[in-house]
């Protein structure tokens, strides 16, 4: 779950839905970053489904007694997180092995800074999975794979930015993930900067600066807003299940670096 706290309200976005928004954004830019790439379908499938392992868990979110808030993807316990990651990549691999290799590498990068036997075993298994899949795809060189992975990571980052930051806030109040901007890798075609600048122009309009000449776009975020009073009265799971989704439209306009 992606959580944003505002006064006495938790704004909650399900991970799998966030991933679908990631794919929707990249779809606008396929001709700029992936034109003619034979793996386009696999890359988009990986982006759209990279968080599918969270799907059922986010339907009944968990409460964190230490923070007095719902667990988010940031503070969710490591060992259950490993189980969710593995399950999700298994699901992806059933439909698209190359997409699964990309999702696997995406998660491995998250877990490399943790050191315990379970995490180490997870890393070993996932690296073996990637090697097994890529052995059947000799046309995918390490540079090509890294470029495709970088697109997945950027798609994840830009969607997370929209979910984690309150529309209209000033730069100094931006979530700590994005204090320097939205990370992007120069391994992506036409990218020459490590960060994309993001600035809210109003409650519904975000300006991005540092991308090449790509089209602007609009997305509609599907979220739930739960009050602390509601959770205290009914509990987190019941509150979440009885609260309707809200759609929040955002426009992203592009200022190129050219």
């Amino acid at each position: 779950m992606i959580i944003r706290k505002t006064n006495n309200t938790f704004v909650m976005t399900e991970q799998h839905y966030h991933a679908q928004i990631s794919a929707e954004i990249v779809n606008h830019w396929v001709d700029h970053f992936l034109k003619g790439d034979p793996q386009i379908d696999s890359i988009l499938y990986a982006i759209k489904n990279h968080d599918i392992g969270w799907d059922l868990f986010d339907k009944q979110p968990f409460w964190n007694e230490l923070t007095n808030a719902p667990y988010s993807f940031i503070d969710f316990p490591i060992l259950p997180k490993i189980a969710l990651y593995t399950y999700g990549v298994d699901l992806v691999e059933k439909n698209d092995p190359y997409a699964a290799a990309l999702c696997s590498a995406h998660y491995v990068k998250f877990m490399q800074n943790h050191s315990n036997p379970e995490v180490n075993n997870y890393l070993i298994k996932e690296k073996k999975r990637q090697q097994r899949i890529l052995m059947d795809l000799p046309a995918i060189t390490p540079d090509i794979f890294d470029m495709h992975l970088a697109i997945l990571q950027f798609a994840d980052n830009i969607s997370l930015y929209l979910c984690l930051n309150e529309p209209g806030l000033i730069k100094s109040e931006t979530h700590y993930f994005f204090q320097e901007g939205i990370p992007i890798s120069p391994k992506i075609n036409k990218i020459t900067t490590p960060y994309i600048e993001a600035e809210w122009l109003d409650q519904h309009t975000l300006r991005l600066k540092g991308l090449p000449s790509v089209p602007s776009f609009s997305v509609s975020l599907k979220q739930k807003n739960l009050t602390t009073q509601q959770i205290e009265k009914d509990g987190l799971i019941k509150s979440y299940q009885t609260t309707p989704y809200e759609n929040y439209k955002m426009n992203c306009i592009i200022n190129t670096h050219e």
Side-chain angles (χ1 to χ4, degrees):
M1 186 71 74
I2 301 169
I3 309 289
R4 175 162 55 84
K5 182 71 160 49
T6 60
N7 297 323
N8 67 338
T9 301
F10 297 105
V11 182
M12 304 177 70
T13 306
E14 294 173 19
Q15 295 267 115
H16 186 43
Y17 182 71
H18 133 78
Q20 293 171 335
I21 291 295
S22 301
E24 184 179 334
I25 292 169
V26 172
N27 261 314
H28 291 286
W29 300 337
V30 163
D31 287 345
H32 296 263
F33 296 139
L34 290 167
K35 188 172 184 177
D37 194 308
Q39 301 296 333
I40 285 178
D41 289 344
S42 292
I43 298 163
L44 292 176
Y45 190 84
I47 295 170
K48 185 176 181 178
N49 293 283
H50 73 268
D51 278 335
I52 195 170
W54 290 91
D55 193 25
L56 291 179
F57 274 69
D58 281 353
K59 303 299 184 192
Q60 294 187 331
F62 295 78
W63 186 257
N64 186 340
E65 295 89 349
L66 291 178
T67 62
N68 203 31
Y71 270 111
S72 76
F73 73 100
I74 297 172
D75 59 4
F76 199 75
I78 292 299
L79 300 188
K81 189 181 287 188
I82 288 174
L84 294 177
Y85 287 173
T86 303
Y87 171 66
V89 177
D90 287 346
L91 289 179
V92 172
E93 187 173 0
K94 290 178 181 179
N95 292 289
D96 192 315
Y98 185 58
L102 291 171
C103 293
S104 172
H106 182 58
Y107 284 139
V108 162
K109 286 185 176 292
F110 291 157
M111 304 302 290
Q112 285 177 333
N113 293 328
H114 298 280
S115 57
N116 63 47
E118 291 84 0
V119 171
N120 289 336
N121 288 336
Y122 165 80
L123 294 174
I124 291 169
K125 289 178 181 178
E126 288 303 319
K127 288 175 181 177
K128 286 182 177 178
R129 186 205 301 260
Q130 295 166 38
Q131 292 168 358
R132 169 175 53 78
I133 293 171
L134 293 174
M135 280 181 62
D136 293 332
L137 298 167
I140 304 295
T141 66
D143 285 345
I144 290 174
F145 184 79
D146 287 346
M147 186 266 287
H148 292 163
L149 177 59
I151 291 173
L152 166 55
Q153 292 167 329
F154 175 58
D156 185 40
N157 282 329
I158 192 169
S159 180
L160 276 178
Y161 185 95
L162 295 174
C163 295
L164 285 172
N165 290 293
E166 182 178 356
L169 56 70
I170 60 176
K171 186 175 180 180
S172 63
E173 297 173 347
T174 300
H175 190 276
Y176 70 90
F177 279 6
F178 303 105
Q179 283 294 307
E180 297 182 81
I182 301 173
I184 189 169
S185 172
K187 293 177 181 177
I188 300 174
N189 295 334
K190 304 178 183 178
I191 296 301
T192 59
T193 177
Y195 294 97
I196 301 302
E197 295 180 35
E199 176 188 12
W200 289 105
L201 301 183
D202 56 44
Q203 292 292 319
H204 293 273
T205 308
L206 180 70
R207 178 166 60 194
L208 302 176
K209 185 177 180 181
L211 287 165
S213 185
V214 296
S216 301
F217 63 89
S218 296
V219 293
S220 184
L221 295 183
K222 181 178 172 183
Q223 303 170 324
K224 292 193 177 191
N225 297 303
L226 275 66
T227 65
T228 54
Q229 293 91 338
Q230 180 184 4
I231 294 171
E232 289 171 1
K233 176 178 177 290
D234 296 329
L236 177 58
I237 290 178
K238 182 179 178 181
S239 297
Y240 191 80
Q241 292 182 324
T242 57
T243 297
Y245 291 101
E246 297 181 12
N247 290 299
Y248 193 93
K249 186 176 180 180
M250 294 184 182
N251 304 307
C252 293
I253 63 174
I254 310 298
N255 284 0
T256 71
H257 56 46
E258 300 170 348

